[in-house]
Amino acid sequence: MSTVLYEHPLNERIRNYLKLEQLFAQAYSCINHTLAMVNNHQSFFNALFSIVDTLERNDVRGDLIKDLEKLEQNLVIWSKDPEVDSSALDKNLAETVKLVAKLRSPNPTWMQLKEDKLLTSLKQRFAIQGGSFSFDLPQLHFWLHQDEKTIKLEAQQWLSLLSDISSTIAIVLKFIRLRAEFETIEVDSGFYQDNGEGLVLLRIKLALDAKYYPTISGNKFRYSIRFMLPCQHTGRRYANQATNFQLARC
């Protein structure tokens, strides 16, 4: 059965991770197409600048190092279990150790993006709503009219400076998501709540043809899920009806 997956963080650290994961996905998706197209280059630079802003405004690197160190410890413990796939575990352990060493570097590679003259000039205009038109940014207009291969290569080089962050986000979120399997839950009134102690992420699956969607609120102590229906008059309304969904508590 086809489903739609919703994810909701229960703390700011995981919120930053999910935000960065989606921004990286957006940026990589753009360079897999023609960057010179208006929608693609706008989306690419918006994603790139948002990634840098998120890294600057939050101690994401410090959080990631802590999570990698915890993961490294757990992987060593799991390696002693005879039922664990040792080859897969060794591969993840080696990657974790490598990423910890890279993130501990006093000079993160992504800081080079702040020194790039083209990016610096573009970022100032992209921060202004409607400020990235060709008549405001002739240097961008010039860049977009280079050979497509040259454009993609430079975009890939910019993203490569962030590869340590994107790789760490990927492995940390992978193991967080592996903490729990989905279980089917049925409620009578479109509302569900439970204890959130020890949880950092909620994952909800709904059937693709479901007419409702979840709104989630909560923290590390308690969370609630209320299902909503689209409404032409108010935008949305409560789905006070029997609801079936799958939930993974990570």
Side-chain angles (χ1 to χ4, degrees), residues 85-141:
D85 183 344
S86 59
S87 61
L89 188 145
D90 290 344
K91 180 180 178 181
N92 283 298
L93 181 57
E95 183 180 5
T96 300
V97 172
K98 180 180 69 175
L99 288 171
V100 169
K102 288 183 176 180
L103 289 188
R104 282 176 176 163
S105 169
N107 299 307
T109 55
W110 65 267
M111 293 293 288
Q112 296 176 37
L113 294 171
K114 298 180 62 179
E115 301 171 3
D116 188 289
K117 300 303 181 184
L118 174 59
L119 292 181
T120 300
S121 62
L122 298 186
K123 190 173 186 293
Q124 294 173 350
R125 296 301 308 180
F126 269 78
I128 303 171
Q129 187 173 8
S132 58
F133 292 109
S134 59
F135 48 80
D136 287 319
L137 288 172
Q139 63 270 54
L140 174 60
H141 195 58

Side-chain angles (χ1 to χ4, degrees), residues 30-47:
C30 289
I31 63 175
N32 287 331
H33 298 84
T34 304
L35 269 172
M37 294 175 61
V38 174
N39 290 340
N40 270 351
H41 83 257
Q42 290 278 358
S43 295
F44 173 79
F45 285 113
N46 281 328

Side-chain angles (χ1 to χ4, degrees), residues 194-209:
D194 201 358
N195 184 356
E197 188 173 353
L199 303 181
V200 296
L201 177 68
L202 297 177
R203 310 182 75 207
I204 299 171
K205 280 184 181 180
L206 293 178
L208 185 60
D209 59 356

Side-chain angles (χ1 to χ4, degrees), residues 183-196 199 202-204 206 213-218 222-228 238-249:
E183 59 178 299
T184 299
I185 296 177
E186 296 181 9
V187 292
D188 295 329
S189 59
F191 179 78
Y192 179 80
Q193 63 179 351
D194 201 358
N195 184 356
L199 303 181
L202 297 177
R203 310 182 75 207
I204 299 171
L206 293 178
Y213 60 90
T215 57
I216 307 163
S217 61
R222 196 158 190 81
Y223 65 89
S224 62
I225 304 171
R226 187 178 293 277
F227 291 91
M228 311 294 291
Y238 294 133
N240 294 320
Q241 62 190 54
T243 308
N244 181 292
F245 64 99
Q246 291 180 286
L247 175 66
R249 306 173 179 90

Side-chain angles (χ1 to χ4, degrees), residues 117-175:
K117 300 303 181 184
L118 174 59
L119 292 181
T120 300
S121 62
L122 298 186
K123 190 173 186 293
Q124 294 173 350
R125 296 301 308 180
F126 269 78
I128 303 171
Q129 187 173 8
S132 58
F133 292 109
S134 59
F135 48 80
D136 287 319
L137 288 172
Q139 63 270 54
L140 174 60
H141 195 58
F142 170 80
W143 185 78
L144 290 171
H145 282 79
Q146 297 181 90
D147 178 77
E148 177 64 17
K149 185 177 180 180
T150 301
I151 293 174
K152 282 194 174 185
L153 180 60
E154 189 160 11
Q156 289 168 346
Q157 289 173 339
W158 289 328
L159 285 178
S160 70
L161 296 174
L162 291 155
S163 61
D164 295 343
I165 298 294
S166 62
S167 296
T168 304
I169 292 285
I171 194 170
V172 168
L173 286 178
K174 178 177 73 172
F175 279 94

